[in-house]
Amino acid sequence: MASLRVALVQHASGLEPDANRALLDALAPSGADLVVFPEAFARDFGEAGSDVSGYAEPPDGPFAREVERVAGDRGATLLAGMFEAGDDPDRPFNTLVLRGAAHASYRKIHLYDSFGYRESDRLSAGDPVPVVVDLGGFGVGLMTCYDLRFPELARGLVDAGAEVLVVPAAWVAGPHKVDHWRTLVRARAIENTCYVVAVGQPGPRYTGHSMVVDPLGEVVVEAGDGPDVLTAGLEHTLLERARTTNPSLANRRL
């Protein structure tokens, strides 16, 4: 049965795009099927409310091309976040680019207008369309950071065939934030009987705690708040066993 080896790269992005592109090659490990970097890895958000439009790139621009090159070099699929130029030149998309054995882009749907932030002032929201790809015999669905707080998106991805939810993030540090992150990652796994692979930027600005949770809610691996690279194996047999033990998806009435 299918298995998928994932690597979670918990590392901070800086304000210089050239340096961040170089980190893709420097940090991506060998031996993984899927390597996940955090949200906004092409260039950090900067100070809260900063204009990031000058750092927006097309989905085949320098950052995405380097993601694809490193994926090919490692024989893997890479996922990382960037700002993507769109119709509104002042408000780009917050986009994930997936390159390698699978190819997709996902524009963040839920912008972080919460906890005193106004991401929508500087970024445009993507259309609410689930993005799911087949990778190594698993359906892999894409979400970004604040999307984690919206269970209907996770369920929509699972209804579209996702068996693994991958969540790159830059989860801002603060009171309750690590607890919210850990609780929500486990909840999305338990309620959807799926794997969740959640990768954040590290402290002190962000919370870190990248983690993999299995379809029964067990934490497979978890980082602290500092830079780290984690690996984990996802097993399709465990997913099937979980959905037999807890057939909540089949038992739905709404």
Side-chain angles (χ1 to χ4, degrees), residues 4-252:
L4 193 72
R5 190 72 176 168
V6 298
L8 294 69
V9 181
Q10 180 170 290
H11 199 282
S13 60
L15 301 179
E16 299 299 329
D18 290 351
N20 296 328
R21 283 198 302 274
L23 286 172
L24 293 170
D25 195 19
L27 296 173
S30 299
D33 301 304
L34 174 63
V35 181
V36 186
F37 287 83
E39 175 189 19
F41 201 76
R43 200 266 184 181
D44 185 62
F45 291 93
E47 294 297 321
S50 294
D51 180 3
V52 297
S53 61
Y55 301 94
E57 301 181 19
D60 60 352
F63 184 75
R65 290 199 303 270
E66 182 65 2
V67 169
E68 188 159 15
R69 187 196 70 78
V70 175
D73 181 76
R74 302 300 194 276
T77 299
L78 262 67
L79 180 66
M82 58 173 275
F83 300 122
E84 179 195 356
D87 294 335
D88 184 343
D90 296 324
R91 296 169 63 243
F93 295 107
N94 184 341
T95 297
L96 301 178
V97 291
L98 183 77
R99 302 292 185 266
H103 188 289
S105 296
Y106 166 68
R107 295 168 173 172
K108 186 178 182 182
I109 294 170
H110 300 99
L111 300 181
Y112 187 50
D113 290 358
S114 187
F115 288 89
Y117 290 83
R118 286 280 305 173
E119 192 173 19
S120 63
D121 287 345
R122 293 300 188 182
L123 295 168
S124 295
D127 292 332
V129 177
V131 175
V132 180
V133 300
D134 181 76
L135 184 61
F138 285 84
V140 176
L142 305 183
M143 306 170 68
T144 304
C145 202
Y146 191 50
D147 284 335
L148 187 64
R149 292 183 180 272
F150 297 86
E152 60 272 22
L153 175 58
R155 181 54 56 88
L157 288 163
V158 170
D159 284 346
E163 299 164 312
V164 182
L165 300 177
V166 184
V167 192
W171 198 266
V172 178
H176 315 296
K177 296 300 288 295
V178 171
D179 186 52
H180 285 194
W181 167 261
R182 297 187 79 253
T183 300
L184 291 166
V185 171
R186 294 190 66 224
R188 298 296 86 86
I190 293 166
E191 70 198 4
N192 292 295
T193 52
C194 68
Y195 282 100
V196 178
V197 177
V199 184
Q201 293 209 36
R205 182 174 186 184
Y206 303 105
T207 60
H209 285 269
S210 298
M211 58 196 306
V212 175
V213 178
D214 78 14
L216 288 172
E218 294 288 337
V219 176
V220 178
V221 64
E222 180 176 357
D225 61 4
D228 206 347
V229 178
L230 307 177
T231 60
L234 314 187
E235 300 295 335
H236 211 276
T237 51
L238 192 152
L239 179 98
E240 292 168 359
R241 215 162 43 240
R243 290 185 171 181
T244 299
T245 301
N246 176 24
S248 56
L249 293 176
N251 291 340
R252 282 185 297 167

